[in-house]
Amino acid sequence: MRTSAEFDPVEQLPREALRSLQADRLRAAFGVSLDSLAEAPFTYKSALREAYPFGLLRVPVSSLARVHASSGTHGKPTVVGYTRADLEAWAELMARCMTMAGVRPGMLVHNANTYGLFTGGHGFHQGAERIGAAVVPVSGGMTARQAMLLNDLGAQVLVATPSYSLVIAQAVREAGIDPASLKLELGLFGGEPWTEGLREQIERELPGLRAVNFYGLSEMCGPGVATECLEVRDGLHVQEDHFLVEVVDPSTGAVLEEGDEGELVFTTLRKEAMPLLRYRTGDIGSLTFEPCTCGRTTGRIRGLRGRRDDMIIVRGVNLYPSNVEHLLMGVPDVAPHYQLVVERDGAMDELTVQCEPASPGVDAAELGSTVETLLREHLGIRVTVEVLAAGAVPRSEGKAVRVVDRRAGF
């Protein structure tokens, strides 16, 4: 059982020792040296789809202990197998990450992540139990019940996507429960990109809770690849003894320098069932290897602002939903629910941002005009803003749908 203040020794290794450990594991897994890694080929998600379902496994299907898969929204799902050793390593990684985020033995963890083929629910569940925290495996959905159980059971930790945590907060208020009366101390959120503004909004709507960012992807293990430390919350600490991370130019694939923004690329160092060499995640961010003031020496991901696939091009301008979210969350009268609708009726793209007022007394026309001006000045394109009635922007029990692209061929 891991105690709340305990560091895994690898989290404080000198950089030279950590790189040596990575070199040994990289050579054992793929026969590749660190010096020649940049010359090795990339692995793309398309390779997983083409090998569907089990073509990339390095072990017989009969030796698997579990199978997870992506949603398959854009075609065939990506299927990932786990041996018992893989599951054991994942549980330990999640325990390490959740400890870093402030979870302690004896806490009650309300897990509102979906169970099933999605890795999120299972990852947090097994990590909490490894620490010695009790789990309420609520899963997603039935949001009124989520609010009731948070109030009645007194969980100190909420696990969800950041967007769904706001839906739960709304359900708490609608049930006549004072959010400040909940016993929540920690919010462990991941599964979708989110901004500092949204973090602040969540912490306002669930007083007493401190929101911590988790990062992962099912191709690696699920959640547990990188996590913020509760003390600093300045970048996500990568579990570098299990994952070797690079940042590359999304167009050329060239490895970028520390601090430069690009596409995150991961190589698994301990996976048995489906090890991956230089996997192109599509996620955009940067890296710093400066030691954190929390005492950990592991590299940190900063500026994680969305997948390359999430980027939309409107009138020649590259936009991420997080760009818009950052601006919206700076307007006090805007509620933390929004959607971007892109259309092309003629020759030009048209972007409409749908949002909601934060309170009933807000003048919708005036708010829309204010937000339109703000977005035009910062994004450099004309944007139409529709201020909808409260509750009109679609809610999600998992990952929020931020972009609706109605252009033909998109």
Side-chain angles (χ1 to χ4, degrees):
M1 184 182 297
R2 185 180 296 278
T3 61
S4 60
E6 182 182 354
F7 281 90
D8 189 298
V10 76
E11 294 180 284
Q12 295 182 302
L13 279 179
R15 290 300 307 173
E16 298 80 6
L18 184 53
R19 292 295 280 176
S20 178
L21 175 64
Q22 289 182 320
D24 291 343
R25 292 182 173 178
L26 178 65
R27 191 176 299 109
F30 298 101
V32 174
S33 70
L34 273 180
D35 291 338
S36 64
L37 179 64
E39 302 169 9
F42 292 113
T43 304
Y44 295 87
K45 178 165 282 195
S46 59
L48 277 72
R49 294 197 177 108
E50 291 165 5
Y52 177 89
F54 295 124
L56 292 185
L57 289 183
R58 279 202 189 174
V59 300
V61 176
S62 59
S63 68
L64 296 180
R66 192 189 299 171
V67 174
H68 283 285
S70 68
S71 62
T73 304
H74 302 292
K76 287 278 190 182
T78 56
V79 175
V80 182
Y82 298 74
T83 64
R84 294 207 176 276
D86 290 336
L87 292 179
E88 175 68 18
W90 185 20
E92 180 57 27
L93 282 173
M94 284 303 298
R96 188 193 296 176
C97 289
M98 293 173 74
T99 296
M100 190 190 313
V103 180
R104 305 182 299 275
M107 277 185 153
L108 190 61
V109 178
H110 181 104
N111 191 353
N113 269 343
T114 303
Y115 285 69
L117 289 175
F118 177 57
T119 56
H122 296 273
F124 283 97
H125 187 121
Q126 61 201 22
E129 290 188 339
R130 177 64 60 92
I131 291 171
V135 183
V136 184
V138 188
S139 192
M142 301 184 70
T143 309
R145 185 177 65 173
Q146 305 266 3
M148 179 190 72
L149 292 176
L150 281 171
N151 183 60
D152 295 348
L153 302 183
Q156 295 103 336
V157 183
L158 171 62
V159 175
T161 60
S163 56
Y164 190 45
S165 74
L166 290 170
V167 177
I168 292 173
Q170 180 179 343
V172 168
R173 295 191 301 273
E174 290 174 351
I177 301 167
D178 179 2
S181 69
L182 300 178
K183 293 184 170 61
L184 288 175
E185 300 174 25
L186 301 169
L188 312 186
F189 303 130
E192 61 189 16
W194 51 304
T195 62
E196 285 299 314
L198 190 59
R199 188 204 304 267
E200 293 168 3
Q201 183 70 31
I202 292 169
E203 292 182 348
R204 280 195 296 270
E205 298 208 17
L206 294 170
L209 174 148
R210 297 186 71 192
V212 183
N213 197 1
F214 276 67
Y215 172 79
L217 54 163
S218 61
E219 296 88 342
M220 297 293 106
C221 66
V225 174
T227 308
E228 291 178 321
C229 58
L230 182 63
E231 297 92 333
V232 181
R233 295 191 293 176
D234 180 20
L236 297 105
H237 290 268
V238 180
Q239 304 305 313
E240 289 192 273
D241 55 326
H242 284 254
F243 309 104
L244 199 160
V245 59
E246 307 168 83
V247 176
V248 305
D249 184 294
S251 300
T252 67
V255 177
L256 300 178
E257 297 293 327
E258 178 180 351
D260 291 344
E261 183 180 83
E263 182 179 353
L264 298 175
V265 173
F266 284 95
T267 296
T268 62
L269 300 175
R270 300 298 300 276
K271 285 291 289 287
E272 281 190 347
M274 203 178 81
L276 293 174
L277 178 66
R278 305 195 78 200
Y279 182 72
R280 298 279 295 256
T281 67
D283 293 321
I284 303 299
S286 63
L287 286 173
T288 178
F289 295 103
E290 296 177 357
C292 181
T293 55
C294 74
R296 294 174 177 86
T297 57
T298 45
R300 285 171 287 155
I301 300 170
R302 282 177 168 162
L304 190 63
R305 61 190 180 95
R307 292 185 53 79
R308 193 182 180 194
D309 294 347
D310 294 334
M311 185 184 75
I312 56 175
I313 302 176
V314 180
R315 299 187 182 186
V317 175
N318 297 346
L319 290 177
Y320 287 90
S322 57
N323 299 138
V324 176
E325 180 179 297
H326 172 74
L327 296 170
L328 292 178
M329 293 302 97
V331 181
D333 286 336
V334 175
H337 306 285
Y338 69 95
Q339 198 164 66
L340 281 60
V341 180
V342 191
E343 300 173 287
R344 183 185 294 158
D345 291 332
M348 300 293 288
D349 296 330
E350 299 294 338
L351 174 62
T352 300
V353 174
Q354 298 177 335
C355 60
E356 298 176 11
S359 59
V362 173
D363 185 305
E366 183 177 339
L367 179 60
S369 176
T370 298
V371 176
E372 280 186 2
T373 301
L374 177 71
L375 295 180
R376 182 177 65 251
E377 290 176 350
H378 286 80
L379 302 180
I381 57 173
R382 186 180 74 246
V383 179
T384 299
V385 174
E386 294 181 355
V387 180
L388 307 181
V393 174
R395 307 300 201 253
S396 172
E397 296 171 358
K399 298 182 182 183
V401 177
R402 297 302 194 193
V403 177
V404 177
D405 200 329
R406 294 174 179 162
R407 295 174 292 184
F410 285 84

